Amino acid sequence: MTQQAEPKITLPRDAKGKRSVFFDDPAIDQIMTFILELSAEVSVVYDRMDTVERLLDEKGTISRDDIEAYRPNEDVESARNERREAYLKRVFRMHPETGPKD
Amino acid sequence: MPLQHEHDFLVTGSHDEMNRQHYVSRLRMHILNQIGGGVRDVYENRVKPAFEKDKGRIPKNETEIHKAMMADHYGRTWSTMMVNCQDMVWDSVRPAIERAQPDLNDRVRGVNARYGSVTLNPDIAMPRYLEAADIHRMPGNYHTERAVDDATQGALYDRGRFVYNGGAAGPFADGIPRTMAAYIKARWPEFKPKRILELGCTIGTSTVPFVDAFPDAEVHAIDVSAPSLRYGHARAEALAKPIHFHQMNAEDLDFEDGSFDLIYSCIIFHETSRKAYPKILEECQRVLTSGGMMAHTELTPVANMSDFDAFYIDWDAYYNNEPFYKTYTSLDPQEWVTGAGFEQDKFFQVSIPDLDRSSSDAFADSVSNPTVADSKAARVGESARWYTYGAWK
């Protein structure tokens, strides 16, 4: 008997259990999801640009494979984290009249 | 922030996926520190005065604070960001895990055990507290199996928890157990456990530091979730750490009376239930040797904190699928430990400064002068102290 190929495993995106809605209009909760997800995508694009720039500085010419294979060392990761934190402070700031000042 | 140690079985992701994961870590820290940091000010400056004006008194407990804060748009914005970010943590890891399968399961299955072992029990019943909801909103929880010999949830938890912590617990995600083990050795240097048992070990990140701290001991670790244990075993072998994993329920251990000198756990009780908690403590009492010790790091009891702090720490109880959290933090551990048969004067509790995030003076001080005074609770990533309690038998 030949062994059957193992089926592909897919993972659910949603957790079992209640997902709370916080605003009177659930559309606001939904829009917050879109905004937060978008913020991640902008950051990912920024990091990809950063990879391209670093590789170009280093090698002068690069391929797509170079980009995919690039992994930041601790110094680069820490520079990226500084950039991410500054970005988060610019984008996700609470209105000063309704919250604490930074 | 350190990068995660990449052992042979860790699944990280592509260039972009890893950057997404690292961003989500920073986003979470931003929500906790910047947005969450404003919650107290909003309460003091706006919500409490408005409540007082309306009712002629201040909120009388954390439940009233909770209700008032959740009617405020700052509380709502903070909360919806918290829930979204929690979901983003797991979702940032999911595609890479899916892609790694079924190869990952094959590699885990093919592990040649040189150091430890894993013993599974396919007949074990999953406790209701794991079946009812996915804890921490991790889709599939610790235990769901999607294939024969599945280790998927272990891989999801390993990478996802690192993203969740933002690396705050170190490259091995072991800040708490490393702190516990160092503390036990520093405070009780003459205590030399020969057999050690960890309860609720999941993938063994919390087991490894005890192997390192007590190299002469035989270390066992139990959990009910097979995918976590399979993955944890593979991880331990990759790290060359001798650990014996067993699929067991801590409420009903298959070990003989008096068979371990040290039994410990890292933040597991609040994920069980009111019925399970005393049973687990009774099992500790039964399985410990005479002169043995149990030690549990857990959430700080709310009795030790202000109403506002209790409201803040209890957020997870309402919105992060942790049904027993709120009841657990309302209990007095000493009462339950003695209720399980330990003697009153053998009980101890202490708030231990995190090894990585505190000064060595603060750590040494907690050894010579153990106190729970400064144990204001905080979520993982915020806290630099760990409330730990236990007893000698």
Side-chain angles (χ1 to χ4, degrees), chain A residues 6 11-13 16 18-20 22 29 33 39 41 48 51 67 77 81 85 92 98, chain B residues 15-16 20 22-23 26 30 46 76 80 84 87 91 98 106 131 134 137 146 319 321:
Chain A
E6 288 189 54
L11 294 173
R13 289 188 81 170
K16 189 171 171 182
K18 186 182 163 209
R19 193 185 198 285
S20 298
F22 296 97
D29 291 82
T33 301
S39 79
E41 297 318 295
R48 198 168 176 91
T51 296
I67 299 171
E77 191 55 35
N81 276 331
E85 279 159 24
F92 294 110
T98 61
Chain B
H15 176 274
D16 288 3
R20 189 175 291 113
H22 291 164
Y23 172 73
R26 293 345 292 168
H30 179 79
R46 186 169 68 226
R76 292 176 176 189
T80 200
N84 272 293
D87 290 353
D91 208 43
E98 285 181 342
D106 280 344
E131 297 263 69
D134 291 339
R137 305 188 52 76
R146 300 186 167 81
Y319 306 116
N321 282 357

mmCIF file of all heavy atoms in Angstrom, chain A residues 6 11-13 16 18-20 22 29 33 39 41 48 51 67 77 81 85 92 98, chain B residues 15-16 20 22-23 26 30 46 76 80 84 87 91 98 106 131 134 137 146 319 321:
data_model
loop_
_atom_site.group_PDB
_atom_site.id
_atom_site.type_symbol
_atom_site.label_atom_id
_atom_site.label_comp_id
_atom_site.label_asym_id
_atom_site.label_seq_id
_atom_site.Cartn_x
_atom_site.Cartn_y
_atom_site.Cartn_z
ATOM 1 N N GLU A 6 0.168 13.704 2.613
ATOM 2 C CA GLU A 6 -0.556 14.323 3.720
ATOM 3 C C GLU A 6 -1.291 15.556 3.232
ATOM 4 O O GLU A 6 -0.785 16.318 2.423
ATOM 5 C CB GLU A 6 0.427 14.707 4.820
ATOM 6 C CG GLU A 6 0.932 13.483 5.541
ATOM 7 C CD GLU A 6 1.728 13.853 6.765
ATOM 8 O OE1 GLU A 6 1.193 14.606 7.592
ATOM 9 O OE2 GLU A 6 2.862 13.405 6.876
ATOM 10 N N LEU A 11 -5.058 26.929 8.672
ATOM 11 C CA LEU A 11 -5.382 27.407 10.017
ATOM 12 C C LEU A 11 -6.485 28.455 9.950
ATOM 13 O O LEU A 11 -6.489 29.287 9.049
ATOM 14 C CB LEU A 11 -4.146 28.039 10.654
ATOM 15 C CG LEU A 11 -2.986 27.086 10.934
ATOM 16 C CD1 LEU A 11 -1.769 27.863 11.396
ATOM 17 C CD2 LEU A 11 -3.392 26.104 11.995
ATOM 18 N N PRO A 12 -7.403 28.412 10.913
ATOM 19 C CA PRO A 12 -8.449 29.434 10.933
ATOM 20 C C PRO A 12 -7.856 30.795 11.299
ATOM 21 O O PRO A 12 -6.849 30.870 11.994
ATOM 22 C CB PRO A 12 -9.399 28.946 12.025
ATOM 23 C CG PRO A 12 -8.553 28.117 12.925
ATOM 24 C CD PRO A 12 -7.485 27.514 12.067
ATOM 25 N N ARG A 13 -8.474 31.867 10.832
ATOM 26 C CA ARG A 13 -8.009 33.204 11.204
ATOM 27 C C ARG A 13 -8.688 33.689 12.475
ATOM 28 O O ARG A 13 -8.193 34.593 13.133
ATOM 29 C CB ARG A 13 -8.305 34.205 10.082
ATOM 30 C CG ARG A 13 -7.439 34.006 8.867
ATOM 31 C CD ARG A 13 -7.628 35.139 7.878
ATOM 32 N NE ARG A 13 -6.851 36.323 8.254
ATOM 33 C CZ ARG A 13 -6.695 37.383 7.466
ATOM 34 N NH1 ARG A 13 -7.263 37.403 6.294
ATOM 35 N NH2 ARG A 13 -5.982 38.421 7.859
ATOM 36 N N LYS A 16 -11.880 30.858 18.524
ATOM 37 C CA LYS A 16 -13.144 30.382 19.097
ATOM 38 C C LYS A 16 -13.434 31.212 20.346
ATOM 39 O O LYS A 16 -12.540 31.433 21.160
ATOM 40 C CB LYS A 16 -12.943 28.917 19.478
ATOM 41 C CG LYS A 16 -14.174 28.167 19.901
ATOM 42 C CD LYS A 16 -13.792 26.695 20.025
ATOM 43 C CE LYS A 16 -14.861 25.846 20.659
ATOM 44 N NZ LYS A 16 -14.404 24.457 20.793
ATOM 45 N N LYS A 18 -15.994 34.598 22.092
ATOM 46 C CA LYS A 18 -16.604 35.884 21.776
ATOM 47 C C LYS A 18 -15.566 36.927 21.331
ATOM 48 O O LYS A 18 -14.502 37.036 21.928
ATOM 49 C CB LYS A 18 -17.321 36.379 23.038
ATOM 50 C CG LYS A 18 -18.131 37.630 22.844
ATOM 51 C CD LYS A 18 -18.764 38.055 24.191
ATOM 52 C CE LYS A 18 -19.214 39.510 24.104
ATOM 53 N NZ LYS A 18 -19.183 40.180 25.399
ATOM 54 N N ARG A 19 -15.880 37.650 20.266
ATOM 55 C CA ARG A 19 -15.047 38.796 19.904
ATOM 56 C C ARG A 19 -15.833 40.054 20.262
ATOM 57 O O ARG A 19 -16.895 40.314 19.714
ATOM 58 C CB ARG A 19 -14.719 38.801 18.412
ATOM 59 C CG ARG A 19 -13.614 39.794 18.074
ATOM 60 C CD ARG A 19 -13.370 39.901 16.565
ATOM 61 N NE ARG A 19 -12.080 40.501 16.265
ATOM 62 C CZ ARG A 19 -11.807 41.796 16.374
ATOM 63 N NH1 ARG A 19 -12.722 42.630 16.812
ATOM 64 N NH2 ARG A 19 -10.597 42.253 16.073
ATOM 65 N N SER A 20 -15.301 40.816 21.184
ATOM 66 C CA SER A 20 -16.043 41.960 21.704
ATOM 67 C C SER A 20 -16.104 43.106 20.704
ATOM 68 O O SER A 20 -15.165 43.341 19.955
ATOM 69 C CB SER A 20 -15.402 42.454 22.991
ATOM 70 O OG SER A 20 -15.463 41.447 23.961
ATOM 71 N N PHE A 22 -16.748 47.236 20.827
ATOM 72 C CA PHE A 22 -16.643 48.247 21.880
ATOM 73 C C PHE A 22 -17.450 49.505 21.606
ATOM 74 O O PHE A 22 -17.817 50.213 22.519
ATOM 75 C CB PHE A 22 -15.172 48.612 22.098
ATOM 76 C CG PHE A 22 -14.377 47.436 22.596
ATOM 77 C CD1 PHE A 22 -13.632 46.653 21.727
ATOM 78 C CD2 PHE A 22 -14.412 47.073 23.933
ATOM 79 C CE1 PHE A 22 -12.921 45.557 22.181
ATOM 80 C CE2 PHE A 22 -13.709 45.976 24.399
ATOM 81 C CZ PHE A 22 -12.960 45.217 23.523
ATOM 82 N N ASP A 29 -15.538 49.625 15.086
ATOM 83 C CA ASP A 29 -14.609 48.520 15.401
ATOM 84 C C ASP A 29 -14.039 47.920 14.118
ATOM 85 O O ASP A 29 -12.848 47.610 14.024
ATOM 86 C CB ASP A 29 -15.323 47.416 16.194
ATOM 87 C CG ASP A 29 -15.687 47.864 17.599
ATOM 88 O OD1 ASP A 29 -16.734 48.527 17.744
ATOM 89 O OD2 ASP A 29 -14.914 47.574 18.531
ATOM 90 N N THR A 33 -10.037 47.793 12.578
ATOM 91 C CA THR A 33 -9.308 46.625 12.067
ATOM 92 C C THR A 33 -8.611 46.981 10.759
ATOM 93 O O THR A 33 -7.419 46.710 10.582
ATOM 94 C CB THR A 33 -10.274 45.444 11.845
ATOM 95 O OG1 THR A 33 -10.892 45.129 13.093
ATOM 96 C CG2 THR A 33 -9.553 44.217 11.314
ATOM 97 N N SER A 39 -1.765 49.826 8.710
ATOM 98 C CA SER A 39 -0.554 50.386 9.326
ATOM 99 C C SER A 39 0.570 49.360 9.276
ATOM 100 O O SER A 39 1.732 49.707 9.069
ATOM 101 C CB SER A 39 -0.829 50.817 10.770
ATOM 102 O OG SER A 39 -0.827 49.715 11.654
ATOM 103 N N GLU A 41 0.920 47.043 6.955
ATOM 104 C CA GLU A 41 1.385 46.905 5.577
ATOM 105 C C GLU A 41 2.316 48.058 5.190
ATOM 106 O O GLU A 41 3.310 47.851 4.494
ATOM 107 C CB GLU A 41 0.181 46.824 4.621
ATOM 108 C CG GLU A 41 -0.689 45.594 4.865
ATOM 109 C CD GLU A 41 0.124 44.327 5.118
ATOM 110 O OE1 GLU A 41 0.836 43.884 4.209
ATOM 111 O OE2 GLU A 41 0.055 43.794 6.248
ATOM 112 N N ARG A 48 10.892 46.845 3.485
ATOM 113 C CA ARG A 48 11.368 46.284 2.210
ATOM 114 C C ARG A 48 12.243 47.321 1.479
ATOM 115 O O ARG A 48 13.296 46.992 0.942
ATOM 116 C CB ARG A 48 10.175 45.873 1.346
ATOM 117 C CG ARG A 48 10.566 44.919 0.242
ATOM 118 C CD ARG A 48 9.358 44.291 -0.413
ATOM 119 N NE ARG A 48 9.764 43.468 -1.520
ATOM 120 C CZ ARG A 48 10.046 42.152 -1.428
ATOM 121 N NH1 ARG A 48 9.931 41.541 -0.271
ATOM 122 N NH2 ARG A 48 10.435 41.486 -2.487
ATOM 123 N N THR A 51 15.524 47.361 3.157
ATOM 124 C CA THR A 51 16.354 46.231 2.730
ATOM 125 C C THR A 51 17.002 46.531 1.379
ATOM 126 O O THR A 51 18.211 46.343 1.191
ATOM 127 C CB THR A 51 15.495 44.946 2.624
ATOM 128 O OG1 THR A 51 15.018 44.612 3.923
ATOM 129 C CG2 THR A 51 16.288 43.781 2.059
ATOM 130 N N ILE A 67 16.732 40.227 -1.849
ATOM 131 C CA ILE A 67 15.797 40.890 -0.922
ATOM 132 C C ILE A 67 15.125 39.846 -0.033
ATOM 133 O O ILE A 67 15.080 39.980 1.189
ATOM 134 C CB ILE A 67 14.714 41.686 -1.687
ATOM 135 C CG1 ILE A 67 15.364 42.771 -2.546
ATOM 136 C CG2 ILE A 67 13.710 42.298 -0.714
ATOM 137 C CD1 ILE A 67 14.404 43.459 -3.504
ATOM 138 N N GLU A 77 17.891 45.621 13.078
ATOM 139 C CA GLU A 77 16.582 45.415 13.688
ATOM 140 C C GLU A 77 16.303 46.528 14.699
ATOM 141 O O GLU A 77 15.187 47.034 14.796
ATOM 142 C CB GLU A 77 16.530 44.041 14.369
ATOM 143 C CG GLU A 77 15.156 43.587 14.811
ATOM 144 C CD GLU A 77 14.113 43.586 13.695
ATOM 145 O OE1 GLU A 77 14.462 43.290 12.542
ATOM 146 O OE2 GLU A 77 12.950 43.908 13.981
ATOM 147 N N ASN A 81 13.334 49.162 14.620
ATOM 148 C CA ASN A 81 12.406 49.342 15.738
ATOM 149 C C ASN A 81 12.271 50.804 16.132
ATOM 150 O O ASN A 81 11.182 51.261 16.472
ATOM 151 C CB ASN A 81 12.825 48.489 16.935
ATOM 152 C CG ASN A 81 12.315 47.069 16.802
ATOM 153 O OD1 ASN A 81 11.280 46.833 16.181
ATOM 154 N ND2 ASN A 81 13.047 46.121 17.364
ATOM 155 N N GLU A 85 8.767 52.691 16.045
ATOM 156 C CA GLU A 85 8.204 53.381 17.213
ATOM 157 C C GLU A 85 7.868 54.837 16.881
ATOM 158 O O GLU A 85 6.822 55.355 17.315
ATOM 159 C CB GLU A 85 9.171 53.276 18.401
ATOM 160 C CG GLU A 85 9.015 51.923 19.091
ATOM 161 C CD GLU A 85 10.228 51.502 19.924
ATOM 162 O OE1 GLU A 85 10.987 52.382 20.349
ATOM 163 O OE2 GLU A 85 10.411 50.276 20.111
ATOM 164 N N PHE A 92 -0.583 56.647 15.495
ATOM 165 C CA PHE A 92 -1.562 56.310 16.539
ATOM 166 C C PHE A 92 -1.379 57.218 17.744
ATOM 167 O O PHE A 92 -0.865 56.811 18.773
ATOM 168 C CB PHE A 92 -1.459 54.833 16.915
ATOM 169 C CG PHE A 92 -1.851 53.937 15.780
ATOM 170 C CD1 PHE A 92 -0.904 53.165 15.130
ATOM 171 C CD2 PHE A 92 -3.165 53.893 15.335
ATOM 172 C CE1 PHE A 92 -1.260 52.349 14.063
ATOM 173 C CE2 PHE A 92 -3.530 53.084 14.266
ATOM 174 C CZ PHE A 92 -2.578 52.316 13.632
ATOM 175 N N THR A 98 -8.592 64.824 24.571
ATOM 176 C CA THR A 98 -9.305 63.698 25.172
ATOM 177 C C THR A 98 -8.380 62.730 25.882
ATOM 178 O O THR A 98 -8.822 61.774 26.496
ATOM 179 C CB THR A 98 -10.080 62.900 24.104
ATOM 180 O OG1 THR A 98 -9.136 62.400 23.158
ATOM 181 C CG2 THR A 98 -11.113 63.729 23.418
ATOM 182 N N HIS B 15 10.781 37.344 4.276
ATOM 183 C CA HIS B 15 11.275 38.687 4.566
ATOM 184 C C HIS B 15 10.146 39.598 5.060
ATOM 185 O O HIS B 15 10.234 40.206 6.132
ATOM 186 C CB HIS B 15 11.909 39.245 3.281
ATOM 187 C CG HIS B 15 12.376 40.654 3.389
ATOM 188 N ND1 HIS B 15 11.546 41.734 3.165
ATOM 189 C CD2 HIS B 15 13.587 41.171 3.705
ATOM 190 C CE1 HIS B 15 12.232 42.854 3.331
ATOM 191 N NE2 HIS B 15 13.472 42.542 3.665
ATOM 192 N N ASP B 16 9.089 39.683 4.289
ATOM 193 C CA ASP B 16 7.995 40.595 4.638
ATOM 194 C C ASP B 16 7.211 40.107 5.858
ATOM 195 O O ASP B 16 6.787 40.906 6.694
ATOM 196 C CB ASP B 16 7.027 40.752 3.450
ATOM 197 C CG ASP B 16 7.634 41.585 2.321
ATOM 198 O OD1 ASP B 16 8.809 41.994 2.440
ATOM 199 O OD2 ASP B 16 6.938 41.817 1.311
ATOM 200 N N ARG B 20 6.522 42.075 9.263
ATOM 201 C CA ARG B 20 5.153 42.276 9.767
ATOM 202 C C ARG B 20 5.072 41.847 11.230
ATOM 203 O O ARG B 20 4.498 42.534 12.066
ATOM 204 C CB ARG B 20 4.153 41.491 8.906
ATOM 205 C CG ARG B 20 2.693 41.808 9.218
ATOM 206 C CD ARG B 20 1.728 41.098 8.259
ATOM 207 N NE ARG B 20 1.795 41.630 6.920
ATOM 208 C CZ ARG B 20 2.256 40.960 5.855
ATOM 209 N NH1 ARG B 20 2.650 39.708 5.974
ATOM 210 N NH2 ARG B 20 2.282 41.518 4.674
ATOM 211 N N HIS B 22 7.498 41.728 13.418
ATOM 212 C CA HIS B 22 8.238 42.659 14.278
ATOM 213 C C HIS B 22 7.469 43.973 14.448
ATOM 214 O O HIS B 22 7.505 44.584 15.516
ATOM 215 C CB HIS B 22 9.638 42.901 13.693
ATOM 216 C CG HIS B 22 10.513 41.690 13.791
ATOM 217 N ND1 HIS B 22 11.666 41.521 13.076
ATOM 218 C CD2 HIS B 22 10.396 40.554 14.534
ATOM 219 C CE1 HIS B 22 12.222 40.349 13.364
ATOM 220 N NE2 HIS B 22 11.457 39.748 14.239
ATOM 221 N N TYR B 23 6.761 44.363 13.395
ATOM 222 C CA TYR B 23 5.935 45.565 13.522
ATOM 223 C C TYR B 23 4.804 45.326 14.533
ATOM 224 O O TYR B 23 4.538 46.182 15.388
ATOM 225 C CB TYR B 23 5.340 45.979 12.171
ATOM 226 C CG TYR B 23 4.329 47.105 12.325
ATOM 227 C CD1 TYR B 23 4.751 48.400 12.603
ATOM 228 C CD2 TYR B 23 2.964 46.854 12.255
ATOM 229 C CE1 TYR B 23 3.829 49.426 12.798
ATOM 230 C CE2 TYR B 23 2.038 47.872 12.443
ATOM 231 C CZ TYR B 23 2.475 49.156 12.716
ATOM 232 O OH TYR B 23 1.564 50.159 12.922
ATOM 233 N N ARG B 26 5.901 45.807 17.984
ATOM 234 C CA ARG B 26 6.048 47.217 18.372
ATOM 235 C C ARG B 26 4.678 47.857 18.546
ATOM 236 O O ARG B 26 4.476 48.683 19.431
ATOM 237 C CB ARG B 26 6.839 48.012 17.340
ATOM 238 C CG ARG B 26 8.318 47.707 17.119
ATOM 239 C CD ARG B 26 8.998 46.878 18.146
ATOM 240 N NE ARG B 26 9.146 47.520 19.430
ATOM 241 C CZ ARG B 26 9.506 46.873 20.542
ATOM 242 N NH1 ARG B 26 9.724 45.582 20.536
ATOM 243 N NH2 ARG B 26 9.633 47.523 21.662
ATOM 244 N N HIS B 30 3.285 49.759 21.742
ATOM 245 C CA HIS B 30 2.752 51.122 21.642
ATOM 246 C C HIS B 30 1.367 51.205 22.296
ATOM 247 O O HIS B 30 1.067 52.148 23.034
ATOM 248 C CB HIS B 30 2.671 51.540 20.168
ATOM 249 C CG HIS B 30 2.113 52.924 19.963
ATOM 250 N ND1 HIS B 30 2.880 54.061 20.140
ATOM 251 C CD2 HIS B 30 0.865 53.357 19.634
ATOM 252 C CE1 HIS B 30 2.123 55.130 19.905
ATOM 253 N NE2 HIS B 30 0.903 54.732 19.605
ATOM 254 N N ARG B 46 -11.080 62.590 33.809
ATOM 255 C CA ARG B 46 -12.369 62.753 33.142
ATOM 256 C C ARG B 46 -13.428 61.782 33.643
ATOM 257 O O ARG B 46 -14.501 62.192 34.066
ATOM 258 C CB ARG B 46 -12.208 62.586 31.624
ATOM 259 C CG ARG B 46 -13.506 62.886 30.884
ATOM 260 C CD ARG B 46 -13.330 62.995 29.382
ATOM 261 N NE ARG B 46 -12.992 61.748 28.749
ATOM 262 C CZ ARG B 46 -12.025 61.605 27.849
ATOM 263 N NH1 ARG B 46 -11.282 62.632 27.517
ATOM 264 N NH2 ARG B 46 -11.808 60.432 27.311
ATOM 265 N N ARG B 76 -12.738 52.727 24.892
ATOM 266 C CA ARG B 76 -13.177 51.900 23.758
ATOM 267 C C ARG B 76 -12.099 51.806 22.684
ATOM 268 O O ARG B 76 -11.859 50.730 22.135
ATOM 269 C CB ARG B 76 -14.459 52.487 23.155
ATOM 270 C CG ARG B 76 -15.645 52.357 24.086
ATOM 271 C CD ARG B 76 -16.861 53.043 23.498
ATOM 272 N NE ARG B 76 -18.023 52.837 24.361
ATOM 273 C CZ ARG B 76 -19.252 53.161 24.021
ATOM 274 N NH1 ARG B 76 -19.505 53.711 22.843
ATOM 275 N NH2 ARG B 76 -20.254 52.944 24.847
ATOM 276 N N THR B 80 -10.413 48.318 21.584
ATOM 277 C CA THR B 80 -10.530 47.740 20.243
ATOM 278 C C THR B 80 -9.142 47.576 19.629
ATOM 279 O O THR B 80 -8.875 46.609 18.908
ATOM 280 C CB THR B 80 -11.489 48.564 19.341
ATOM 281 O OG1 THR B 80 -11.915 47.745 18.265
ATOM 282 C CG2 THR B 80 -10.850 49.816 18.782
ATOM 283 N N ASN B 84 -7.716 43.949 18.410
ATOM 284 C CA ASN B 84 -7.208 43.835 17.037
ATOM 285 C C ASN B 84 -5.755 43.372 17.028
ATOM 286 O O ASN B 84 -5.364 42.517 16.238
ATOM 287 C CB ASN B 84 -7.315 45.183 16.311
ATOM 288 C CG ASN B 84 -8.665 45.338 15.644
ATOM 289 O OD1 ASN B 84 -8.975 44.631 14.701
ATOM 290 N ND2 ASN B 84 -9.478 46.239 16.155
ATOM 291 N N ASP B 87 -5.280 39.721 17.714
ATOM 292 C CA ASP B 87 -5.561 38.890 16.536
ATOM 293 C C ASP B 87 -4.438 39.012 15.504
ATOM 294 O O ASP B 87 -4.093 38.038 14.826
ATOM 295 C CB ASP B 87 -6.896 39.296 15.907
ATOM 296 C CG ASP B 87 -8.087 38.900 16.779
ATOM 297 O OD1 ASP B 87 -7.875 38.206 17.796
ATOM 298 O OD2 ASP B 87 -9.224 39.281 16.454
ATOM 299 N N ASP B 91 -2.158 36.162 13.453
ATOM 300 C CA ASP B 91 -2.313 36.200 12.003
ATOM 301 C C ASP B 91 -0.993 36.524 11.298
ATOM 302 O O ASP B 91 -0.802 36.149 10.139
ATOM 303 C CB ASP B 91 -3.391 37.236 11.643
ATOM 304 C CG ASP B 91 -4.091 36.878 10.344
ATOM 305 O OD1 ASP B 91 -4.409 35.687 10.165
ATOM 306 O OD2 ASP B 91 -4.285 37.768 9.506
ATOM 307 N N GLU B 98 1.419 27.614 7.939
ATOM 308 C CA GLU B 98 0.696 26.802 6.940
ATOM 309 C C GLU B 98 1.657 26.322 5.856
ATOM 310 O O GLU B 98 1.612 25.172 5.436
ATOM 311 C CB GLU B 98 -0.430 27.633 6.298
ATOM 312 C CG GLU B 98 -1.630 27.833 7.206
ATOM 313 C CD GLU B 98 -2.748 28.649 6.551
ATOM 314 O OE1 GLU B 98 -2.470 29.344 5.549
ATOM 315 O OE2 GLU B 98 -3.879 28.587 7.048
ATOM 316 N N ASP B 106 6.416 16.198 9.598
ATOM 317 C CA ASP B 106 7.315 15.078 9.252
ATOM 318 C C ASP B 106 8.620 15.178 10.028
ATOM 319 O O ASP B 106 9.132 14.186 10.537
ATOM 320 C CB ASP B 106 7.648 15.105 7.750
ATOM 321 C CG ASP B 106 6.533 14.511 6.921
ATOM 322 O OD1 ASP B 106 5.679 13.814 7.505
ATOM 323 O OD2 ASP B 106 6.510 14.755 5.699
ATOM 324 N N GLU B 131 -11.468 23.653 25.792
ATOM 325 C CA GLU B 131 -12.376 23.446 24.660
ATOM 326 C C GLU B 131 -13.314 24.639 24.436
ATOM 327 O O GLU B 131 -13.732 24.893 23.313
ATOM 328 C CB GLU B 131 -13.237 22.200 24.899
ATOM 329 C CG GLU B 131 -12.461 20.906 24.999
ATOM 330 C CD GLU B 131 -12.416 20.129 23.702
ATOM 331 O OE1 GLU B 131 -11.748 20.607 22.769
ATOM 332 O OE2 GLU B 131 -13.066 19.073 23.645
ATOM 333 N N ASP B 134 -10.710 29.745 22.628
ATOM 334 C CA ASP B 134 -9.274 29.769 22.359
ATOM 335 C C ASP B 134 -8.608 30.811 23.269
ATOM 336 O O ASP B 134 -8.814 32.018 23.093
ATOM 337 C CB ASP B 134 -9.007 30.118 20.889
ATOM 338 C CG ASP B 134 -9.438 29.003 19.944
ATOM 339 O OD1 ASP B 134 -9.554 27.842 20.402
ATOM 340 O OD2 ASP B 134 -9.639 29.284 18.749
ATOM 341 N N ARG B 137 -6.992 34.216 22.460
ATOM 342 C CA ARG B 137 -7.493 34.358 21.087
ATOM 343 C C ARG B 137 -6.562 33.719 20.060
ATOM 344 O O ARG B 137 -6.510 34.133 18.902
ATOM 345 C CB ARG B 137 -7.742 35.838 20.738
ATOM 346 C CG ARG B 137 -8.688 36.550 21.726
ATOM 347 C CD ARG B 137 -9.091 37.944 21.288
ATOM 348 N NE ARG B 137 -9.626 37.970 19.941
ATOM 349 C CZ ARG B 137 -10.847 37.563 19.606
ATOM 350 N NH1 ARG B 137 -11.669 37.106 20.533
ATOM 351 N NH2 ARG B 137 -11.252 37.613 18.364
ATOM 352 N N ARG B 146 -4.893 18.840 13.593
ATOM 353 C CA ARG B 146 -5.451 18.918 12.236
ATOM 354 C C ARG B 146 -4.903 17.834 11.325
ATOM 355 O O ARG B 146 -5.248 17.789 10.152
ATOM 356 C CB ARG B 146 -5.137 20.286 11.627
ATOM 357 C CG ARG B 146 -5.706 21.420 12.417
ATOM 358 C CD ARG B 146 -5.524 22.747 11.730
ATOM 359 N NE ARG B 146 -6.355 23.739 12.386
ATOM 360 C CZ ARG B 146 -6.011 24.362 13.502
ATOM 361 N NH1 ARG B 146 -4.835 24.158 14.053
ATOM 362 N NH2 ARG B 146 -6.835 25.220 14.071
ATOM 363 N N TYR B 319 -11.826 40.363 27.749
ATOM 364 C CA TYR B 319 -11.722 40.471 26.291
ATOM 365 C C TYR B 319 -10.678 39.570 25.634
ATOM 366 O O TYR B 319 -10.481 39.634 24.448
ATOM 367 C CB TYR B 319 -11.440 41.938 25.918
ATOM 368 C CG TYR B 319 -12.447 42.873 26.514
ATOM 369 C CD1 TYR B 319 -12.077 43.834 27.460
ATOM 370 C CD2 TYR B 319 -13.800 42.774 26.163
ATOM 371 C CE1 TYR B 319 -13.023 44.675 28.027
ATOM 372 C CE2 TYR B 319 -14.750 43.611 26.730
ATOM 373 C CZ TYR B 319 -14.348 44.562 27.666
ATOM 374 O OH TYR B 319 -15.287 45.383 28.220
ATOM 375 N N ASN B 321 -10.344 36.091 26.120
ATOM 376 C CA ASN B 321 -10.671 34.666 26.280
ATOM 377 C C ASN B 321 -9.943 34.003 27.445
ATOM 378 O O ASN B 321 -9.272 32.993 27.271
ATOM 379 C CB ASN B 321 -10.371 33.891 24.984
ATOM 380 C CG ASN B 321 -11.458 34.097 23.938
ATOM 381 O OD1 ASN B 321 -12.456 34.759 24.200
ATOM 382 N ND2 ASN B 321 -11.263 33.530 22.765
#
